[in-house]
């Protein structure tokens, strides 16, 4: 089966992949004993299903410049790294060099497989049963999807930095006001006292009225206010800083990865209880409660709808391309949908009995 780069699928065949696929491009690659050997440069996938079959590994840690194609079954995905626990430098030296974008021929694929199968007994396969006509086998460990995929979620990381939020300048200016003050002032007044002479007596001598008049001058004194001003210290100002704490609320949108499990046929799975209902059909653990059965039925109904949508997609692709393989895939998806529908009915019957 011809494989094409995953990047080509994501750009030209988005209808095949949808939104749920795993792209390991950019992950750090580790070889035997956890030695860092390079970087994942991409992946090769089936054009019909989008299923990743091989990883393109830049082995710059072992060779100055070489990229090889390693079957996905040899990979162990953990965190942001891809581990090839059984891959050695000697094996890589015997593998075909690959350049991103070139056609990975069947001859090159089988040549690389023989190098890896010969060095790793767990990937060995009878040559007679493994032929080019059979394609990928479900029991071939070399191409089985890694057992472990870590699901990630985003969490808020709060950092703080200091910035100048404002400044204060202290100065002074003069403002005036009118103020009145009561000042007691003294002044002199003339006091004229007149007394009547009771025993009037004559003036001796030759006296003529009006002659010899005398004028008396009396100077009067008074106080006046002299107003002055004097500055006093009435207040002292000092400038300092203090730290206060206030709580602000910030909102951000976070994403998390949830597990998708695709089930074929009538399969019951254990060990998945406690997961949320956003997982694929049949992934809720059977806890024995009616609620669990109802949730399982709902999940199977969702999976049935997804299978029927996939069947319709294959029917359309078969009508456009004339490839009978799409008709076979559509029939397979319809069969899965029927099985999921039957399983949903059985789950609802179990729930009714428990209630």
């Amino acid at each position: 089966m011809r494989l094409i780069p995953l990047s080509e699928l994501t750009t030209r065949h988005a209808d095949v992949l949808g939104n749920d696929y795993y792209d390991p491009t950019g992950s750090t690659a580790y070889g035997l004993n956890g030695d860092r050997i390079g970087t994942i440069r991409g992946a090769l996938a089936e054009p019909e299903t989008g299923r990743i079959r091989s990883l393109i590994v830049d082995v710059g840690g072992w060779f100055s410049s070489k990229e090889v194609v390693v079957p996905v079954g040899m990979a162990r995905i953990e965190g942001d790294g891809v581990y090839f626990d059984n891959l050695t430098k000697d094996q890589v030296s015997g593998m075909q060099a690959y350049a991103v974008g070139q056609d990975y021929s069947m001859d090159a694929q089988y040549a690389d497989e023989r190098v890896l199968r010969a060095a790793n007994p767990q990937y060995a396969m009878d040559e007679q049963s493994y032929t080019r006509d059979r394609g990928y086998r479900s029991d071939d460990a070399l191409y089985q999807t890694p057992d472990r995929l870590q699901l990630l979620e985003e969490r808020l990381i709060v950092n703080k930095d200091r910035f100048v939020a404002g400044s204060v300048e202290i100065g002074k200016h003069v403002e005036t006001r009118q103020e009145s003050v009561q000042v007691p002032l003294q002044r002199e007044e003339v006091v004229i006292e007149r007394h009547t002479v009771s025993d009037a007596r004559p003036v001796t001598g030759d006296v003529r009225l009006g002659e010899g008049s005398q004028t008396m001058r009396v100077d009067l004194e008074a106080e006046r206010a002299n107003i002055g001003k004097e500055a006093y210290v009435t207040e002292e100002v000092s400038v300092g800083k203090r730290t206060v704490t206030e709580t602000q609320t910030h909102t951000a949108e976070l994403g998390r990865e949830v597990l998708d499990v695709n089930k074929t046929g009538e399969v019951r799975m254990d060990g998945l209880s406690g997961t949320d209902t956003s997982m694929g059909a049949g992934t809720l653990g059977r806890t024995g409660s009616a609620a669990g059965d109802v949730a399982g039925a709902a999940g199977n109904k969702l999976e049935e709808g997804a299978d029927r949508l996939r069947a319709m997609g294959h029917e359309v692709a078969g009508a456009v391309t004339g490839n009978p393989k799409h008709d076979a895939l559509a029939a397979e998806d319809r069969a899965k949908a029927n099985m999921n529908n039957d399983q949903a009915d059985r789950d609802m019957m179990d729930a009714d009995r428990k209630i």
Side-chain angles (χ1 to χ4, degrees), residues 113-128:
E113 287 185 17
R114 284 184 171 82
V115 172
L116 297 173
R117 292 183 192 277
N120 299 281
Q122 65 270 37
Y123 302 128
M125 182 173 289
D126 182 9
E127 190 73 20
Q128 293 181 352

Side-chain angles (χ1 to χ4, degrees), residues 141-300:
L142 201 60
Y143 289 99
Q144 289 181 356
T145 304
D147 293 333
R148 180 177 181 184
L149 287 176
Q150 288 193 347
L151 304 182
L152 308 179
E153 70 175 4
E154 296 174 329
R155 295 186 179 181
L156 288 178
I157 298 177
V158 179
N159 295 313
K160 297 187 292 185
D161 62 284
R162 301 186 68 85
F163 68 99
V164 178
S167 61
V168 177
E169 294 182 353
I170 303 296
K172 61 181 182 178
H173 68 281
V174 177
E175 59 180 25
T176 61
R177 69 179 186 276
Q178 296 292 331
E179 185 173 308
S180 298
V181 59
Q182 300 293 330
V183 181
L185 299 176
Q186 294 180 348
R187 61 185 176 83
E188 296 177 339
E189 295 180 347
V190 174
V191 177
I192 300 176
E193 295 180 355
R194 300 172 67 179
H195 301 281
T196 301
V197 178
S198 57
D199 53 345
R201 56 186 184 276
V203 178
T204 60
D206 188 8
V207 177
R208 292 181 181 181
L209 295 176
E211 293 183 355
S213 297
Q214 297 180 346
T215 300
M216 297 181 64
R217 180 185 175 90
V218 178
D219 292 329
L220 303 177
E221 296 182 350
E223 295 179 334
R224 59 187 177 188
N226 295 319
I227 305 299
K229 295 186 289 184
E230 186 175 357
Y232 288 83
V233 177
T234 60
E235 185 179 1
E236 292 182 346
V237 178
S238 60
V239 179
K241 297 190 297 183
R242 65 178 180 179
T243 300
V244 296
T245 301
E246 64 177 7
T247 301
Q248 297 181 349
T249 301
H250 295 268
T251 303
E253 183 176 298
L254 301 178
R256 70 184 181 97
E257 299 173 343
V258 296
L259 184 63
D260 290 327
V261 179
N262 294 323
K263 186 178 65 173
T264 301
E266 185 176 347
V267 178
R268 289 186 177 270
M269 293 176 288
D270 296 327
L272 294 179
S273 59
T275 58
D276 59 47
T277 57
S278 63
M279 300 170 64
T283 59
L284 291 174
R286 268 51 175 191
T287 61
S289 65
D293 289 328
V294 172
N300 281 293

Side-chain angles (χ1 to χ4, degrees), residues 77-92:
I77 299 171
E78 185 171 332
D80 59 351
V82 178
Y83 294 80
F84 301 95
D85 297 323
N86 299 318
L87 188 64
T88 66
K89 183 176 182 180
D90 291 338
Q91 295 171 34
V92 172

Side-chain angles (χ1 to χ4, degrees), residues 59 62-63 66 68 87-96:
V59 289
W62 279 342
F63 300 91
K66 187 174 184 180
V68 295
L87 188 64
T88 66
K89 183 176 182 180
D90 291 338
Q91 295 171 34
V92 172
S93 65
M95 296 174 65
Q96 304 286 323

Side-chain angles (χ1 to χ4, degrees), residues 65-77:
S65 177
K66 187 174 184 180
E67 293 182 359
V68 295
V69 177
V70 182
V72 71
M74 297 188 67
R76 175 173 59 89
I77 299 171

